[in-house]
Amino acid sequence: MGPLVPFIISEEFSLVIAFFLGIGFGFVLEQAGFSSTKKLVGLFYGYDFTVLRVFFTAGVTAMAGTLLLGHYGLLDLSVIYVNPTFLKSALLGGVIMGAGFIIGGFCPGTGVCALAIGKLDALAFVFGAILGVWAFIESFPLLESIYYADAMGPVRISDFLGMSNVAFGFLLSLMAIGAFVATRLIENKVNKRKPTIERRKRNRYALAAASLFVVLAVTAFLPGKQDIINMKIAEAKRQQTCVFKEIPADKLADEIVNKYYALNVIDVRTPEEFEAFHLPMAINIPFEKMMERQYEPLFKQRLKTNIFYADGDTLVRMACLKAKYIGKSENMIMKESALEFREMFYEAQAPSAEAPKGELQVYHFRTNTARQMNDLVDALKNIGAPVKREAVKIKGGC
Amino acid sequence: MKTSESTKPKAYMNPYLAGFLLGLVLLATIYITGRGLGASGAFKSVVIASVETVAPAHAENSAYYTNFNETNPQGPWKNFLVFEVLGVLVGAFFSGVLANRTGLKLEKGPRVSNGVRIAGAIVGGALFGYGSQLGRGCTSGSALSGMAVLSLGGILTMLAIFGGAYMLAYFFRKLWLK
């Protein structure tokens, strides 16, 4: 599941990848003609709208792709970087950049690109840009209040407008296509060109636009990863077909004492309930958070058995089903609830002296196991702590 | 100078195809790293590293530099955008060679002198550099990448950049038009 940095690809290695992504970025910018300042400013005088076409197509492609990957659970949209919004500085900075664009004829990315193929004006632009950044840093104390004014956090425009991401995606795509058509007409007028377009080309454009809307429609209307899992759970519940492997509390306690390393005891209740009481060695994964990516390896590994427990029958079964659909690990549920476990092991009442032998044995087993479990938790308390090492001074001499 | 068929610059790529490919590069960047592309951030690294080398005492006493070092413990060079911009240089050069577009050249409007063009590029660059720091990203980092993740700030910055340029285009027409 993406993003691959930092869990699958390290921060260090991401720098190497950055270099290769940069090659792709630079290559495409140059191929599109962004290394020519005349082509860039053509946008502002109406004779060449290449910039708008490339820019909008790229933005819409990446936007639709991001939504699609997110929909199928391949990319975690909740962790990717969304540029934070600071109203004043965004608008003021933007207008200053616009002035720089029309006077200098480049933007930083295209400037670097043009510099690479030997444009001297781009060299001057990049030099100027570095001076500009320096001027900003030196004047930062004066600007600090504007820089931090109207902080809105990493807000998405779709949230701001109160619509879903996909709905805004549709809107943006329509705007882009409208702009493509409109700019074509303007260009024809300014360049006094005949408004004709090759038939084959037109069909291809139509196909491209259609596939964009297909992608957006898939994200909007077809069930995503979450929905599919939830549907499977609902279906299994309705048909009552699933068989749960259950483990009685006595057996589980015994397993914890003897084979804790082969188990993941998972508490699917809320963190508050977990705090109040939990089984020894248990970890807390609230039911709603089971789909989060940090827990994924737990449900995909096949070395340890996952044992779920909760307070109610339904919740623990749902959790077990969910785990089953996320990964392939071996999953079981504890037959008893967490409260019953506590009563059985930690609040056991000593039976009277004339109780049957079986009852006495159970009592002794449970109190014994409870003690052992406590010892185990104590013994493993520092398992994550680093080993303390003391430097030994070598003493010489006689 | 006569240019033979083999040294003539090739035509540019279809803009929609280029845009689609650029979108895929951006999507790959988001998928792999969880963040978008950028350019002006690399300039910031250049500035910070230069000032720290040339005037270390000044850098130590200025809050901006010390803050930068706190948030970037690896130093200004070990930065995603620095490596990405190095890649841009390589990729653009590669493309230029393939299309016969390399060579020292000063591109300018038909009515301006070389000096005016260079001065314009420096002034424009300075404004862009200044604005990119104030707006937290330039056309790549804020506008394009912001649009891909539907960031409100990114889209506002984009509108401001292009809106600003359109508003001022009339006053600077002599730089570019006949």
Side-chain angles (χ1 to χ4, degrees), chain A residues 53-284:
Chain A
R53 293 187 183 117
V54 176
F55 193 86
F56 244 143
T57 314
V60 168
T61 305
M63 182 265 312
T66 311
L67 290 180
L68 188 69
L69 290 178
H71 188 62
Y72 283 107
L74 298 169
L75 179 64
D76 191 346
L77 296 189
S78 61
V79 299
I80 61 173
Y81 177 77
V82 176
N83 315 48
T85 303
F86 293 80
L87 209 53
K88 270 196 196 113
S89 58
L91 293 175
L92 189 59
V95 170
I96 294 175
M97 283 190 263
F101 210 156
I102 200 70
I103 298 170
F106 287 112
C107 63
T110 54
V112 169
C113 190
L115 173 61
I117 65 160
K119 293 278 167 68
L120 296 169
D121 45 335
L123 181 65
F125 181 87
V126 170
F127 173 70
I130 289 172
L131 288 185
V133 173
W134 183 48
F136 175 81
I137 292 175
E138 295 303 331
S139 61
F140 185 67
L142 303 173
L143 290 161
E144 216 169 338
S145 56
I146 302 176
Y147 188 72
Y148 290 118
D150 302 324
M152 295 164 74
V155 56
R156 284 194 164 90
I157 189 163
S158 40
D159 297 333
F160 182 74
L161 298 175
M163 51 170 74
S164 73
N165 289 342
V166 182
F168 188 80
F170 270 111
L171 208 64
L172 191 68
S173 305
L174 287 175
M175 270 158 50
I177 290 170
F180 296 154
V181 174
T183 52
R184 171 109 200 151
L185 299 178
I186 296 173
E187 228 177 60
N188 285 341
K189 216 166 178 186
V190 172
N191 297 331
K192 302 188 178 70
R193 197 168 54 184
K194 269 186 199 153
T196 52
I197 179 166
E198 247 182 277
R199 200 194 189 128
R200 233 181 71 221
K201 227 175 183 177
R202 193 192 57 198
N203 290 346
R204 278 193 192 160
Y205 289 157
L207 197 68
S211 31
L212 167 66
F213 284 108
V214 168
V215 167
L216 288 175
V218 164
T219 7
F221 300 118
L222 292 188
K225 190 187 178 192
Q226 292 258 6
D227 306 319
I228 290 173
I229 290 184
N230 287 339
M231 261 159 45
K232 277 184 180 167
I233 293 174
E235 182 67 15
K237 242 172 92 182
R238 195 171 59 78
Q239 301 210 338
Q240 303 273 324
T241 48
C242 43
V243 183
F244 293 97
K245 286 193 211 158
E246 290 183 329
I247 181 166
D250 286 323
K251 175 101 169 74
L252 176 61
D254 192 49
E255 295 262 306
I256 290 175
V257 169
N258 295 307
K259 274 169 64 182
Y260 70 90
Y261 46 82
L263 307 173
N264 291 316
V265 183
I266 299 169
D267 188 326
V268 291
R269 300 173 303 163
T270 59
E272 294 79 43
E273 288 173 307
F274 179 80
E275 266 318 303
F277 169 76
H278 61 86
L279 264 62
M281 311 300 296
I283 51 171
N284 183 218

Side-chain angles (χ1 to χ4, degrees), chain A residues 3-5 12 30-31 36 43 45 58 81 83 85 89 102 104 107 120-121 128-129 138-139 143 147 155 157 205, chain B residues 13-14 19 31-32 34 58 65 78 95 101 103 105 107 117 125-126 130 136 139 141 150-153 166 169 176:
Chain A
L4 305 181
V5 176
E12 292 257 294
E30 210 289 327
Q31 279 293 314
S36 161
L43 173 66
Y45 296 106
Y81 177 77
N83 315 48
T85 303
S89 58
I102 200 70
C107 63
L120 296 169
D121 45 335
E138 295 303 331
S139 61
L143 290 161
Y147 188 72
V155 56
I157 189 163
Y205 289 157
Chain B
M13 193 186 269
N14 176 301
Y31 178 70
I32 295 171
H58 172 67
Y65 296 99
K78 244 184 160 181
S95 160
R101 279 194 287 266
K105 197 180 160 196
E107 207 179 0
R117 172 66 187 123
Y130 197 90
R136 295 178 173 75
T139 347
L150 302 178
S151 153
L152 175 65
Y166 269 113
W176 305 108

